[in-house]
Amino acid sequence: MATVYETVIGLEVHVELATETKMFCGCPTAFGAPPNTQVCPVCLGLPGSLPVPNARAIAYALKAALALECEIDPECRWDRKNYHYPDLPKGYQITQYARPLARSGHLRFSITETNGDTVDREVRIRRLHMEEDTGKSTHEGLPGTSTGVDLNRAGVPLIEIVSEPDIRTPEEARVYLQALRTLLLYTGVSDVKMEEGSLRCDANVSVRPVGEDTLGVLVEIKNMNSFRSVQRALEFEVNRQVDLLQSGGRIVRETRHWDDRREITFSSRSKEEAHDYRYFPEPDLGPCDLTPAFVEQTRQSLPELPTAKCQRYISLGLSGYDASVLAMDPPLASFFDAMLRAGGAPRESAALLTVELLGRLNATGIAIHDPACRVTPSALAELQKLVADGTINGKIAKEVLDEMVQTGATARTVVENRGLRQVSDEGAILEAVRSVLTANPVEVADYRDGKEKLFGFLVGQVMKATRGKANPALVNAVLRRELQGRSE
Amino acid sequence: MLTKEQVRQVAALARVRASDDELTGYVAELGRILDHVARLQEVDTEGMPPTSRALEQRGILREDMPQVPLLRETVLANAPDERHGMFLVPRVVEE
C-alpha cells in the first residue's frame, strides 16, 4: 500500500507598517515615488549616521502583536543580521533576533468546507519581530549586465510574523494569510496590500508519512505574490515532494521560487552558501522600554477583532457562514454594525446586505465603502424595517432597493413616491382574488381536480393583478378560502 | 584553535579579498584576539546582565514626522554609475 503523506506548512509573513516615515530615519515612505527620492544618510548607510527608532512603528508593531494574543517582551532588543546584497547599503539589516518584540501568539480563523460547514482553526504564532525593509533591485530596461537599485524602500518599518508549523493544507495556508490580513486591517497598522508588497509571504513546506512525529526535509518557497498563488504554489510543491518520495527520491533542503506564469516552483540555482548571518546586538540602539502602562493602553486601543465580531454575530442569530463573511470584511462589518445601530434586525439585515445590496453593487463593480455606493446603512435598515412592519413585502423591497441603489433615495421616499405600500386591505385583495378566479376557470377546475401546484400560479396572478403590492400571506389565506368555498 | 579555513570563510562572508600569505598572518593576529577573549570568558559572570553597549540608554525614540530627504543628485553623487535615477551595479543573479 502506498504511504499516505501529511503536509506541514509554516508561514513567514512580512508586513510593512503604515507609518509616515521609515523605521530609523525621517524619510517618507510613500509607495511609488521616483527612485531614490526618499533617502537620507541613515537609510543609505553613510558613515557617521545613526538610527533612531520611530515611536509609531513600535506602537504599531505592539498593536499587531497584541491583536495576535502574543506575549510581549517590554525590553526587546535590536540585532544586526549581516549579509551582502546591493539593496542593503549598510551590509546588515537591523532586526530582532534573540529578543523579539513578541512570542507565543495565536491566530484563529474558520474554514468553510465544501459542504458549507465552517470549521474553526487555530495556528500558533511563534514570534513577531520588528525590522527594516531592504531596497529594491530591478533588471528591466537596463544594460544587459547590470542591476538598478532603488533605496526608497530601504528602512521602511516591517514586522515579521512567524507561525508554528501548524498548517496542514495549502488551502489552510491561504485562509490563514487572509485571516491575518483581515486582523491587521482591523488594527489599522498596515494597508496589507499583496500587490504593492506591503504584505509578503514565504512558506516552509515539508511532507511526512502520517503518524510520523519528526518533520520532513524543509523547503522554503518564495515569490508568491497573491493569495491564490500561495495556495497554488503550495499545492504544486506538496505534490512535487510526495511524487519525489514515492518514486524513491530524496528531498533537498533548498529555497525554491514560485513562477506564477508557468505554475511551478523551481530551485534557485544561486550557489547555496550556508546562510551565516553572524547576528550580534546592534551597538547603535538601546533596548526598547515598553512600560506596562503603554502596553495596556495599546491593548485598550484595539478595536473589536474578527473572532470576537464573528462570535457576536452568531449570538445575534446569524449563521456561522454569514457571521464569518461579514467579520472577515472590515468595510462590510462596519456597514452591518451601523445597520444594527439604526435598529435593523440582525438576520434580515445581514441577508439584505450580503445578498441584495452586495449583489447589486458587485454587478456594477462598486465597493461597499465606495462613495459611489449611494445606500447608507440607516437607509438599508429602514428598508428592512418597512418589510418587518408589513409596509411593503419582500418582493417589492427588491424593487425599492433597485431604485435606492440608483438614486440614493431613502426607502420610505421610494415607497411613498411610487405608491408601493403593501395592500393589506382584505376587501381589495378579495376583489382581486375573485377576478383572477373568474378569469381562469380552467386552472381553477384543474386545481379542484387535485393539481395543487396550480395554487402557486393563482397566487402569482393575484400578485400580478395588484402589481406585486398585495400582502402575500393575506393573498394565500383569502385565495385558499375562496377556492374551498367554490368547491363546496 | 583558529584555522586558516575558518579565516578564509570569515573573509569570504565579509567580502574581504586576502592572499594566502595574508590569511596566514590573520590566523595569528585574530588568534591573539580570540585568546584574549577566551581569558575574559573565564570571568564568572553568573547573574550579571549582558552588556551589549557601553551606554545602556533605552527608550530613545523619534516622532513619526517626515523630514526632507536628500536631493537625488546628492544621493547619486558617489554612485559608480546610475540609470533612471537608480544606482547601477553589476548584475545580481537570483535565478
Side-chain angles (χ1 to χ4, degrees):
Chain A
M1 215 185 90
T3 315
V4 180
Y5 290 92
E6 174 185 49
T7 303
V8 179
I9 300 170
L11 295 184
E12 290 176 10
V13 176
H14 285 91
V15 178
E16 281 182 357
L17 298 175
T19 52
E20 296 290 316
T21 68
K22 294 187 178 181
M23 186 72 235
F24 299 113
C25 64
C27 285
T29 55
F31 180 78
N36 293 310
T37 54
Q38 301 185 344
V39 292
C40 75
V42 174
C43 48
L44 279 170
L46 296 185
S49 62
L50 284 170
V52 186
N54 180 339
R56 193 187 327 250
I58 294 176
Y60 278 3
L62 176 62
K63 203 166 180 180
L66 291 170
L68 285 162
E69 304 168 26
C70 289
E71 291 166 16
I72 306 300
D73 180 352
E75 292 185 45
C76 61
R77 285 154 199 251
W78 302 99
D79 295 286
R80 288 187 182 181
K81 177 182 180 176
N82 301 280
Y83 66 97
H84 288 278
Y85 209 76
D87 63 18
L88 188 72
K90 295 195 297 295
Y92 58 85
Q93 178 191 32
I94 304 179
T95 179
Q96 298 191 294
Y97 186 62
R99 297 271 303 261
L101 169 66
R103 295 180 194 267
S104 308
H106 305 87
L107 180 64
R108 296 171 221 275
F109 55 93
S110 58
I111 288 195
T112 307
E113 304 209 306
T114 38
N115 64 7
D117 287 353
T118 52
V119 180
D120 291 333
R121 289 285 294 123
E122 178 181 313
V123 169
R124 291 169 298 156
I125 304 298
R126 179 181 297 170
R127 54 183 279 151
L128 182 154
H129 69 255
M130 302 181 276
E131 59 187 29
E132 55 177 341
D133 210 343
T134 61
K136 259 185 186 167
S137 314
T138 26
H139 313 292
E140 281 161 37
L142 295 166
T145 56
S146 50
T147 291
V149 180
D150 169 14
L151 296 174
N152 282 350
R153 201 182 64 181
V156 166
L158 290 179
I159 48 175
E160 178 173 337
I161 302 165
V162 183
S163 85
E164 293 289 351
D166 288 348
I167 298 168
R168 289 291 170 272
T169 67
E171 187 200 9
E172 198 173 293
R174 172 181 56 78
V175 179
Y176 164 89
L177 193 59
Q178 286 171 326
L180 181 58
R181 175 176 186 275
T182 305
L183 183 77
L184 294 170
L185 271 182
Y186 273 111
T187 61
V189 303
S190 171
D191 56 11
V192 275
K193 291 182 181 165
M194 279 195 100
E195 66 278 15
E196 289 184 7
S198 56
L199 174 66
R200 306 197 284 268
C201 176
D202 299 333
N204 289 312
V205 199
S206 61
V207 297
R208 63 182 172 194
V210 168
E212 178 72 50
D213 282 339
T214 51
L215 289 175
V217 176
L218 264 188
V219 173
E220 187 180 17
I221 311 293
K222 288 181 174 288
N223 197 39
M224 300 174 291
N225 297 322
S226 67
F227 293 109
R228 181 179 171 277
S229 68
V230 167
Q231 184 170 344
R232 300 281 293 160
L234 292 173
E235 280 165 355
F236 175 89
E237 181 59 21
V238 168
N239 287 336
R240 188 189 71 85
Q241 292 188 14
V242 170
D243 287 350
L244 197 59
L245 290 175
Q246 281 176 340
S247 59
R250 286 182 58 184
I251 291 160
V252 186
R253 185 174 182 130
E254 61 179 345
T255 298
R256 298 177 70 88
H257 285 250
W258 171 244
D259 182 328
D260 219 22
R261 194 177 48 79
R262 291 189 291 164
E263 301 218 308
I264 56 163
T265 63
F266 62 91
S267 182
S268 13
R269 275 177 287 275
S270 59
K271 48 180 186 256
E272 206 56 38
E273 294 169 15
H275 285 303
D276 184 352
Y277 294 126
R278 295 153 295 147
Y279 288 97
F280 65 86
E282 166 57 82
D284 290 341
L285 290 167
C288 292
D289 189 11
L290 310 176
T291 63
F294 178 64
V295 174
E296 199 42 45
Q297 179 197 329
T298 308
R299 196 190 304 275
Q300 297 300 329
S301 77
L302 284 174
E304 184 183 39
L305 296 173
T307 313
K309 216 175 245 301
C310 197
Q311 293 297 322
R312 178 162 62 85
Y313 292 163
I314 289 171
S315 74
L316 291 173
L318 268 59
S319 70
Y321 177 80
D322 282 346
S324 162
V325 164
L326 289 169
M328 290 295 280
D329 186 333
L332 198 57
S334 123
F335 194 105
F336 180 63
D337 283 335
M339 282 183 79
L340 295 180
R341 283 195 299 275
R347 287 176 65 164
E348 291 75 6
S349 293
L352 258 187
L353 173 58
T354 60
V355 181
E356 302 301 336
L357 181 58
L358 276 194
R360 283 162 176 77
L361 292 179
N362 289 346
T364 49
I366 295 170
I368 190 87
H369 53 288
D370 206 312
C373 169
R374 308 189 63 180
V375 180
T376 64
S378 57
L380 195 61
E382 183 189 54
L383 179 63
Q384 187 272 316
K385 285 185 277 185
L386 290 178
V387 177
D389 68 14
T391 307
I392 56 173
N393 65 43
K395 192 155 183 293
I396 290 291
K398 295 180 187 188
E399 264 185 69
V400 174
L401 185 56
D402 284 335
E403 186 163 333
M404 291 167 67
V405 167
Q406 279 168 23
T407 66
T410 67
R412 197 170 289 279
T413 312
V414 176
V415 169
E416 298 306 335
N417 287 355
R418 292 180 41 192
L420 294 173
R421 261 178 192 282
Q422 176 161 261
V423 176
S424 296
D425 167 10
E426 198 168 329
I429 289 176
L430 183 60
E431 197 177 311
V433 166
R434 285 188 172 155
S435 60
V436 165
L437 294 184
T438 313
N440 298 279
V442 180
E443 284 77 6
V444 172
D446 286 353
Y447 172 80
R448 275 201 227 110
D449 288 347
K451 284 201 176 174
E452 305 230 342
K453 278 186 183 169
L454 283 167
F455 188 75
F457 166 80
L458 294 168
V459 170
Q461 292 303 304
V462 177
M463 293 307 287
K464 204 171 157 189
T466 58
R467 286 182 293 139
K469 294 187 290 184
N471 178 329
L474 212 49
V475 170
N476 274 298
V478 172
L479 184 61
R480 208 169 282 284
R481 204 178 61 211
E482 284 298 297
L483 283 166
Q484 277 169 1
R486 291 198 172 194
S487 61
E488 278 156 16
Chain B
M1 188 52 198
L2 192 63
T3 68
K4 198 159 161 182
E5 217 26 67
Q6 286 174 309
V7 176
R8 197 189 306 278
Q9 167 72 1
V10 170
L13 286 169
R15 299 295 191 274
V16 172
R17 188 183 299 150
S19 69
D20 212 57
D21 282 352
E22 285 171 316
L23 285 175
T24 310
Y26 292 147
V27 170
E29 286 173 28
L30 290 171
R32 281 198 291 278
I33 294 171
L34 289 178
D35 287 346
H36 177 66
V37 174
R39 282 188 65 195
L40 295 177
Q41 291 281 47
E42 289 165 17
V43 179
D44 180 8
T45 56
E46 189 64 32
M48 296 283 289
T51 308
S52 48
R53 49 193 67 72
L55 292 172
E56 202 51 3
Q57 288 178 316
R58 54 179 68 214
I60 296 177
L61 298 173
R62 177 176 60 77
E63 288 300 307
D64 186 27
M65 296 283 288
Q67 306 292 312
V68 179
L70 292 175
L71 283 174
R72 186 155 78 182
E73 58 184 42
T74 312
V75 173
L76 295 172
N78 294 321
D81 200 357
E82 52 121 336
R83 196 67 54 95
H84 310 313
M86 291 183 284
F87 292 90
L88 215 56
V89 300
R91 181 124 199 187
V92 187
V93 182
E94 257 281 291
E95 298 168 12

